[in-house]
Amino acid sequence: MKPQPLQPAYILHSRPYRDSSLILELLTPDYGRIACVARGARRDKQRRTQSLQPFAPLLVGLLGRGDLKTLGSVENSGCALWLKGRAVYAGLYANELLLRLLAAGEAQYEIFASYQVLLQDLAALPGDSSDQLEAPLRRFELHVLQNLGSCPQLGYCAHSMAPVSAEACYRLENESGFVPVYRAGQAGACEFSGAELLALERAVQDGKFAPELLVTAKRLTRLLLAPLLGDRPLASRELFKQVYRSNHDLES
């Protein structure tokens, strides 16, 4: 088997395979999400401990022509980013999100870069931080959704393709985008003010989310992700909830 040039990669997930191997799900720029067999990795504890860890930047050689590659050489491409406390669960959530959303074998240069930025942001947070996780996660989610074509233009009305008005109200329709709402009264769960949409557009562009905008950003990303993820819950989100409840009970 002729190896391809070494590819930057992160491990999104690993699972046992046969007696001594692992199947790794990787995120790479050229192939996006791609699976490979790390032969003998469960037997080679030193290799597994030093290299085959989540959140560690790698250079990998991939062998074979099928959908399931064979892992060749592995090199560290920098220092592993050690996530602390609740940032670990945020990293696991990002990994699971990419596993669920990305088609195998499609180049994902922008998403790979966004993932690198997310890990750097999470690694810089203190271990006991939870509220500071929101901004990097919302930014990452919106970048992923935009690159997958699953986030409508935030600053434009889908009916007229004119910029949204800050004073108007708009409803998110997943198939088309944001459409105007011509009625008074309390906004529904799928409705956003034009001012909120314009603020979100600016936040995505400059990477800075005002604290008061994070609730709106989370509501939008949940609405956009729901049809993509389906009915099966994210295991990482459920794990975080369980750990948070357990810690809260201990502190009470």
Side-chain angles (χ1 to χ4, degrees), residues 74-89:
V74 180
E75 300 177 10
N76 291 318
S77 182
C79 296
L81 295 171
W82 298 106
L83 308 187
K84 303 177 288 292
R86 291 171 180 169
V88 173
Y89 300 99

Side-chain angles (χ1 to χ4, degrees), residues 14-24 36-42 68-70:
S14 66
R15 64 183 188 273
Y17 179 67
R18 294 184 176 173
D19 292 335
S20 61
S21 300
L22 292 170
I23 290 183
L24 305 178
C36 66
V37 177
R39 299 195 183 281
R42 294 164 64 198
L68 183 61
K69 306 291 186 183
T70 297

Side-chain angles (χ1 to χ4, degrees), residues 27-229:
L27 175 66
T28 69
D30 285 347
Y31 306 112
R33 178 177 65 83
I34 190 166
C36 66
V37 177
R39 299 195 183 281
R42 294 164 64 198
R43 185 171 58 243
D44 188 348
K45 293 183 178 180
Q46 182 176 4
R47 183 191 192 196
R48 189 167 75 249
T49 300
Q50 292 180 350
S51 299
L52 303 182
Q53 297 293 327
F55 317 130
L58 304 173
L59 288 172
V60 301
L62 298 171
L63 308 163
R65 296 182 179 181
D67 293 335
L68 183 61
K69 306 291 186 183
T70 297
L71 183 68
S73 60
V74 180
E75 300 177 10
N76 291 318
S77 182
C79 296
L81 295 171
W82 298 106
L83 308 187
K84 303 177 288 292
R86 291 171 180 169
V88 173
Y89 300 99
L92 293 175
Y93 166 75
N95 286 0
E96 188 177 9
L97 198 66
L98 295 177
L99 284 171
R100 297 275 292 272
L101 296 182
L102 298 186
E106 297 181 1
Q108 299 290 355
Y109 300 106
E110 296 295 330
I111 289 178
F112 187 87
S114 293
Y115 181 78
Q116 289 181 306
V117 171
L118 173 68
L119 293 186
Q120 292 165 3
D121 290 342
L122 294 178
L125 296 178
D128 58 352
S129 173
S130 58
D131 54 345
Q132 295 181 55
L133 298 173
E134 293 292 322
L137 281 177
R138 300 295 85 77
R139 183 166 58 245
F140 175 72
E141 288 171 336
L142 286 167
H143 280 167
V144 170
L145 287 163
Q146 287 177 331
N147 278 279
L148 294 179
S150 299
C151 180
Q153 289 184 285
L154 297 172
Y156 286 86
C157 171
H159 280 183
S160 65
M161 287 311 296
V164 302
S165 169
E167 292 76 27
C169 182
Y170 297 85
R171 182 178 67 254
L172 174 64
E173 294 186 352
N174 284 330
E175 297 300 321
S176 53
F178 295 100
V179 299
V181 177
Y182 299 105
R183 61 167 172 75
Q186 186 175 2
C190 296
E191 295 174 7
F192 300 83
S193 71
E196 288 175 325
L197 294 175
L198 292 171
L200 281 171
E201 184 180 48
R202 290 192 297 270
V204 172
Q205 290 173 351
D206 62 26
K208 298 178 181 178
F209 285 79
E212 63 272 14
L213 192 60
L214 289 173
V215 173
T216 302
K218 187 172 185 176
R219 181 160 60 93
L220 175 61
T221 58
R222 291 295 179 269
L223 290 169
L224 294 172
L225 287 169
L228 302 177
L229 295 174

